[in-house]
Every structure is written in structure tokens, then in C-alpha cells.
């Protein structure tokens, strides 16, 4: 039987991390091993699949910047356009894994499965979870039922939508979940179980930007004022995500400043800071009147990616809001 061909793309992270001893699981150097070396630790990978390995970057994901996404996007598209490749697996550090997964989910228009996978424990640890996660990611990438779901994240036996997944624990191997949305499936050995029908959010009509616009996040807290937002505007921000209190609220004195930003050419999106739940468009903010965006349950760092992509593709506020609404409709 012909083995399925998978494209594995390495970017670094803890899945390629090394510590001073096997008993050490939190004090280590991410991105120490090449992806090819990690693949060699899991012999079943080459027994089950034709594996192609590329490594466009090698870094801890806390150093990933939107500029890196351009190289990653090009590497993913090369695999997508290879007719032999049935699925793509991106190995990545977990700190910004959900941001890269969201970026790919909203910018790669392909039915081929793209799986982003990482590990919470370095490759050298007794408790290393990378080998099992990588094997699971390949099982999902080769699964016909993974087609048409956009970018997925596979961690600790769970399959999540790249859009809804988030890291929820600093060190546990059970670190990822999808608040409110839930996992889309599970994988154990090579058995993949889906919990819902295939479907995905609409992507942007991707054109690699020559430069990313600046989009910042301003987190609200008791007593917050407009100092951070003013600094972002002075630094050239074209968009600011207001990570607000409760249903994306803010102290009354600060509200007028937020409302004034869209008229100055700075897009603002209201979303909730550390809690889940769908932010509603609010009459007290006069969102519609002032052109303030809302994004339901999307957390601040994901709303930032939508704004980055939208602004980089020439969308104005209403166009970005319409795209967000279509993303949320797709679930
Ligand atoms: C990183 O994000 O590269 C370090 C942490 C991790 O991969 O778990």
C-alpha cells in the first residue's frame, strides 16, 4: 500500500527543546534540536508515512513575530501546492502556538489539513510529550476526515480548531483547550474521532504584505486610564484591541477616548480580557455610531490577528467587522 505523503515543517519550540537532565521538565532551552532529529526519535513516522521535512526557522515561540508568519505561510503553501502531499504538520513552541494557528487558519485557503503541534516538556525529559503529540498530529494530518477543517491543533490526544484553541496552563501536558467551543475531535494511536462535521471560517484573499500594520492590545484593569492607548497611537498603531472588563467594559472616563479613535484612523475592537463569553455590541459604547468592532468570544490576541490580516489586505472597519461576523457564523 502506498504510504501517505506528509510535509513536516519545523519552527522550534519545546518539542525540539533540550534540558540538562532527563529529570528536568521546565528549565530548558527550546529549539535545540532540528525537526529531522525529533522525527528520528519516532521510527513509526517513517514506517507509516512518506515524510518530507523542512525547517524555515528554529526559535522559541515567544520570539515569533508576524514577520516569521510570512516565511511559514510560504512554506505551508509550497506543501499545499505539492499534489503528492495529503497533509501538513507544523511543529511549534506552545507559547504563541494558538496565534500562529489562528494566522494560518485565517490565511491559508486549502482543504488540506494543516496541523500545528507542540510539546509542554522538552524532548530530553522523562515525561516528554512531543513524540506522542507528533505521532498524533501525523495521524490527523493523514486522516481524510481532517480535510476542510482549516488549521487544527493537536495536543495531548485532543484535536482543536486553530481559531478557538488556547493555552490554559503553564506546564501541564493538558495545557490546551477551546473555551466554549470545545475540542473538534480526539486521537488515540491512529484512531481519529470527530465530534462535529467539517467546516471552517472564511480566509482572507492572501497577498503577502510587504510590511505588517501595527496593532496593539490595551488591557483594562481597575483604575486604567488612556496612557497605554495614547502610547500605541504615538507609536503608529493602526488598530488597538481594547481587552476590557466584563463584557468589554471600561471606566466611564476612558470611554470617550476609545470612541474618538476610529475618527483618527485608528480601528478599535472591544473584547473581554481574561474571561470567556461572547461580547455583545453595546449601546453604551455606541459601537455602531463610532465604528468600534466587536468579535464575540474571540480573545484579544486573536482579534489582533484578524485586525492585522484585515488591515494588511486593505479592509476598512466595516469590512473587518463583516469578516469577523462571517468567521463567527462559521463557528
Ligand atoms: C516556546 O513557546 O517555544 C517555549 C514553550 C513551549 O514550547 O512550550
Amino acid at each position: 500500500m502506498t504510504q501517505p505523503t506528509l510535509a513536516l515543517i519545523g519552527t522550534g519550540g519545546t518539542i525540539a527543546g533540550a534540558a540538562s537532565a532527563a529529570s528536568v521538565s521546565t528549565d530548558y532551552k527550546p529549539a535545540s534540536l532540528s525537526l529531522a532529529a525529533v522525527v528520528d526519535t519516532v521510527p513509526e513516522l517513517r514506517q507509516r508515512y512518506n515524510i518530507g521535512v523542512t525547517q524555515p526557522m528554529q526559535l522559541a515561540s515567544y520570539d515569533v513575530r508576524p514577520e516569521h508568519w510570512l516565511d511559514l505561510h510560504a512554506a505551508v503553501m509550497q506543501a499545499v501546492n505539492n499534489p503528492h502531499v495529503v497533509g501538513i504538520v507544523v511543529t511549534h513552541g506552545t507559547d504563541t502556538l494558538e496565534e500562529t494557528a489562528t494566522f494560518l487558519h485565517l490565511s491559508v485557503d486549502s482543504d488540506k489539513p494543516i496541523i500545528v503541534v507542540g510539546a509542554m516538556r522538552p524532548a530530553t525529559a522523562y515525561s516528554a510529550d512531543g513524540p506522542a503529540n507528533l505521532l498524533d498530529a501525523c495521524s490527523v494530518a493523514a486522516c481524510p476526515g481532517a480535510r476542510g477543517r482549516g488549521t487544527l491543533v493537536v495536543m495531548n490526544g485532543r484535536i482543536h480548531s486553530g481559531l478557538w484553541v488556547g493555552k490554559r496552563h503553564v506546564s501541564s501536558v493538558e495545557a490546551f483547550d477551546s473555551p466554549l467551543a470545545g475540542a473538534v475531535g480526539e486521537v488515540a494511536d491512529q484512531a481519529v474521532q470527530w465530534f462535529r462535521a467539517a467546516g471552517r471560517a472564511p480566509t482572507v484573499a492572501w497577498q503577502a504584505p510587504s510590511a505588517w500594520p501595527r496593532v496593539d492590545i490595551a488591557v483594562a484593569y481597575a483604575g486604567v486610564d488612556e496612557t497605554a492607548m495614547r502610547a500605541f497611537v504615538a507609536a503608529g498603531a493602526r488598530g488597538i484591541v481594547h481587552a476590557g472588563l466584563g463584557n468589554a467594559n471600561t471606566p466611564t472616563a476612558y470611554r470617550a477616548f476609545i470612541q474618538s479613535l476610529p475618527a483618527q484612523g485608528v480601528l478599535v475592537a472591544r473584547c473581554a480580557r481574561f474571561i470567556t463569553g461572547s461580547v455583545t455590541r453595546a449601546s453604551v459604547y455606541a459601537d455602531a455610531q463610532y465604528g468600534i468592532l466587536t468579535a464575540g468570544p474571540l480573545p484579544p490576541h486573536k482579534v489582533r490577528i484578524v485586525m492585522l490580516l484585515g488591515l494588511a489586505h486593505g479592509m476598512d472597519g466595516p469590512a473587518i467587522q463583516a469578516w469577523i461576523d462571517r468567521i463567527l457564523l462559521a463557528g
Side-chain angles (χ1 to χ4, degrees):
M1 202 176 78
T2 328
Q3 293 172 315
T5 297
L6 300 180
L8 270 54
I9 301 174
T11 71
T14 295
I15 194 165
S20 56
S23 54
V24 176
S25 65
T26 61
D27 184 11
Y28 59 88
K29 189 170 174 303
S32 298
L33 308 174
S34 67
L35 174 56
V38 174
V39 167
D40 287 344
T41 66
V42 189
E44 287 84 352
L45 286 173
R46 293 197 190 280
Q47 290 160 12
R48 292 178 187 169
Y49 312 107
N50 287 322
I51 300 273
V53 176
T54 54
Q55 181 110 35
M57 62 198 82
Q58 173 74 326
L59 70 176
S61 80
Y62 43 73
D63 288 329
V64 166
R65 302 174 54 80
E67 290 74 20
H68 294 112
W69 293 339
L70 304 181
D71 293 338
L72 180 58
H73 195 281
V76 167
M77 288 314 296
Q78 199 170 355
V80 161
N81 292 327
N82 179 340
H84 300 293
V85 170
V86 300
I88 296 133
V89 174
V90 177
T91 57
H92 199 285
T94 61
D95 286 358
T96 60
L97 186 148
E98 68 215 61
E99 292 180 55
T100 294
T102 298
F103 163 73
L104 292 173
H105 191 75
L106 296 177
S107 67
V108 178
D109 185 10
S110 169
D111 274 350
K112 286 189 183 177
I114 299 163
I115 315 300
V116 187
V117 64
M120 294 301 293
R121 306 282 162 80
T124 50
Y126 290 130
S127 58
D129 52 331
N133 286 345
L134 185 57
L135 201 53
D136 284 347
C138 290
S139 297
V140 177
C143 174
R147 289 182 64 85
R149 295 178 187 269
T151 297
L152 300 168
V153 168
V154 172
M155 291 288 291
N156 205 32
R158 297 272 157 71
I159 310 166
H160 296 273
S161 158
L163 182 65
W164 297 112
V165 72
K167 185 174 179 178
R168 320 288 289 171
H169 195 282
V170 297
S171 60
S172 168
V173 296
E174 179 65 346
F176 283 79
D177 70 10
S178 301
L180 301 178
V184 297
E186 278 188 323
V187 51
D189 294 335
Q190 285 177 284
V192 178
Q193 175 65 53
W194 299 104
F195 300 147
R196 66 185 76 139
R200 56 156 310 151
T203 63
V204 79
W206 175 256
Q207 297 281 333
S210 52
W212 287 103
R214 183 178 181 112
V215 178
D216 291 294
I217 300 173
V219 180
Y221 45 85
V224 68
D225 65 17
E226 61 208 52
T227 306
M229 283 213 185
R230 281 194 189 280
F232 292 143
V233 173
R238 302 226 4 246
I240 299 178
V241 180
H242 166 53
L245 307 163
N247 188 19
N249 293 316
T250 199
T252 311
Y254 177 28
R255 194 180 296 162
F257 179 76
I258 292 178
Q259 288 168 330
S260 75
L261 288 175
Q264 298 173 47
V266 181
L267 275 183
V268 178
R270 287 175 51 242
C271 57
R273 53 171 195 178
F274 311 126
I275 56 175
T276 59
S278 300
V279 168
T280 50
R281 290 182 79 67
S283 55
V284 285
Y285 282 92
D287 290 323
Q289 180 187 339
Y290 290 100
I292 294 171
L293 311 180
T294 53
L298 278 178
H301 53 306
K302 303 223 177 197
V303 176
R304 173 177 177 261
I305 293 166
V306 175
M307 291 172 83
L308 277 174
L309 282 167
L311 287 167
H313 287 81
M315 294 185 205
D316 60 10
I320 294 177
Q321 184 65 61
W323 185 32
I324 291 171
D325 293 345
R326 286 189 296 125
I327 290 169
L328 298 180
L329 204 59

